Amino acid sequence: MAEATERRRVPDGSAYGRPEQHPDYELTQVGPGTPCGELMRRYWQPVAASSQVTSRPQYVRILGEDLIVFRDKSGRPGLLYPRCMHRGTTLFYGKVTEEGIACCYHGWLFDVEGRCLNQPCEPEGGRNLDVARQPWYPVEDRYGLLFAYMGPPEKKPVLPRFDILENIGPDEEIRGYLGAFGATGDTSMAVAPYSWLHMNDNVMDPFHVYVLHSTFTGVQFANQFAVMPKVDFFTTDEGVCYSAKRVLDDGREYDRISSWIMPNIMSVPNPIDINQERSNMITWSLPVDDSHFTMATAMRVPRNVPDGLFASGGFRFNGKLWHEMSIEEHQDTPGDYEAQAGQGPISLHTEEHLAGSDRGIIMQRRILKQQIKLVAEGGDPIGVAYDPVKSMVKICSGNYYVAHA
Ligand code: FES
Ligand SMILES: [Fe+2]
């Protein structure tokens, strides 16, 4: 390895002899005990769409941990370590009851917080039930999603609220979705095979909206994005925002404001209907493990819309959904998935050449690294609240207009 890193690039730019490159492990490793993994575990993370959590146990993988999610027949959701504490078979084959989940092998029964309620093969159904506890994580349903807190119990914050998802009218509702739809634009892929950071970088990158989504491929979102924006980045209490201004044909000055919220949350304005002012959705770029991620979205929609996110199955290009396109069509019309998967399972950050247009990404990564250090030193990262009164996050994202003189 040392030998390889000592190799020198030859002066004409030949690929021969280039140094070995590697990812920024500090930002891309998310398993238990890793610096970024510990940061992520200080925030509630969505692990499933609430409607999908039923009395049928399911595996979920998040932050490099395999877990079992289910809802007991009293309606309480549970997230448990899958290997039964008795002799280690999986609770995937367990039977869900009113009280919890019973292991298929010898019937040990656990409630949604891992308490053992019964050991049917032991005298009196188990004499020491109170010392038996199946490892578990706290979960809470909100905004159509099931959120889990996987961090140190004494540091559990209040599950946050987002102002744009509150004060729901009688004709509206919030729907939760999980899947890699934010990359592909359709519902074909549950988990994308690359790092959460690729999508996280994408959020504070207004310039790719102009190139990738508008001028390189043809228009994937709104026509107006095919104008190079004038961009400002600014920090907020919870993260980073950008303002991308363009002058429209009708003379109005259009300002698209998008938000990134620590550590892996985004709120983007409606990318198709730019007359919809405030953003109506919050999305998490959710690390499944170091080299896989998925997305969770909570979206405010009118009740009468059949499916708020993908009424027609997703975005179409030349009449086709992403998963219907050939390799050649993906080459001709690449989108977020192609650009981000193209960076590899985990990008090689040591060979990046960040430029002025990457300022938002530089700001994001700087905040992440500051907060990783803070957590490692025992502090509380920004955006976690222990007081419900302080748990409301204000979102400024939207499509805004200034009348032009
Ligand atoms: S292995 Fe689960 S009850 Fe025995
Ligand atoms: Fe994009």
Side-chain angles (χ1 to χ4, degrees), residues 84 86-89 103 105-108:
C84 174
H86 177 220
R87 277 178 34 217
T89 195
C103 178
Y105 212 177
H106 315 93
W108 288 25

Side-chain angles (χ1 to χ4, degrees), residues 182-183 199 202-203 205 208-209 212-213 220-221 256 335-337 339-340:
M199 178 55 82
N202 185 270
V203 181
D205 180 2
H208 91 281
V209 177
L212 178 70
H213 295 306
Q220 291 179 332
F221 298 138
R256 175 179 163 84
D336 279 323
Y337 181 87
Q340 294 173 22

Side-chain angles (χ1 to χ4, degrees), residues 30 35 108 110 179 197 212 243 245 264 269 312 330:
V30 295
W108 288 25
F110 305 103
L197 194 67
L212 178 70
S243 147
K245 292 195 174 115
N264 60 333
S312 59
H330 286 298

Side-chain angles (χ1 to χ4, degrees), residues 42-59:
R42 296 295 299 277
Y43 298 83
W44 288 86
Q45 301 287 350
V47 295
S50 293
S51 60
Q52 307 292 312
V53 179
T54 66
S55 59
R56 176 71 67 193
Q58 295 169 60
Y59 283 116

Side-chain angles (χ1 to χ4, degrees), residues 168-218:
I168 295 300
D171 300 332
E172 298 177 292
E173 62 186 351
I174 308 261
R175 294 189 193 150
Y177 305 88
L178 222 85
F181 45 77
T184 63
D186 69 9
T187 55
S188 61
M189 188 179 287
V191 170
Y194 55 88
S195 164
W196 77 281
L197 194 67
H198 301 193
M199 178 55 82
N200 196 68
D201 286 345
N202 185 270
V203 181
M204 279 298 108
D205 180 2
F207 295 98
H208 91 281
V209 177
Y210 166 72
V211 178
L212 178 70
H213 295 306
S214 306
T215 52
F216 193 89
T217 53

Side-chain angles (χ1 to χ4, degrees), residues 16 20 47 94 104 160 212 268 283 360-361 369 399:
Y16 175 77
E20 282 192 21
V47 295
C104 70
L212 178 70
V268 299
T283 300
I361 292 166
K369 290 190 177 212
N399 297 301

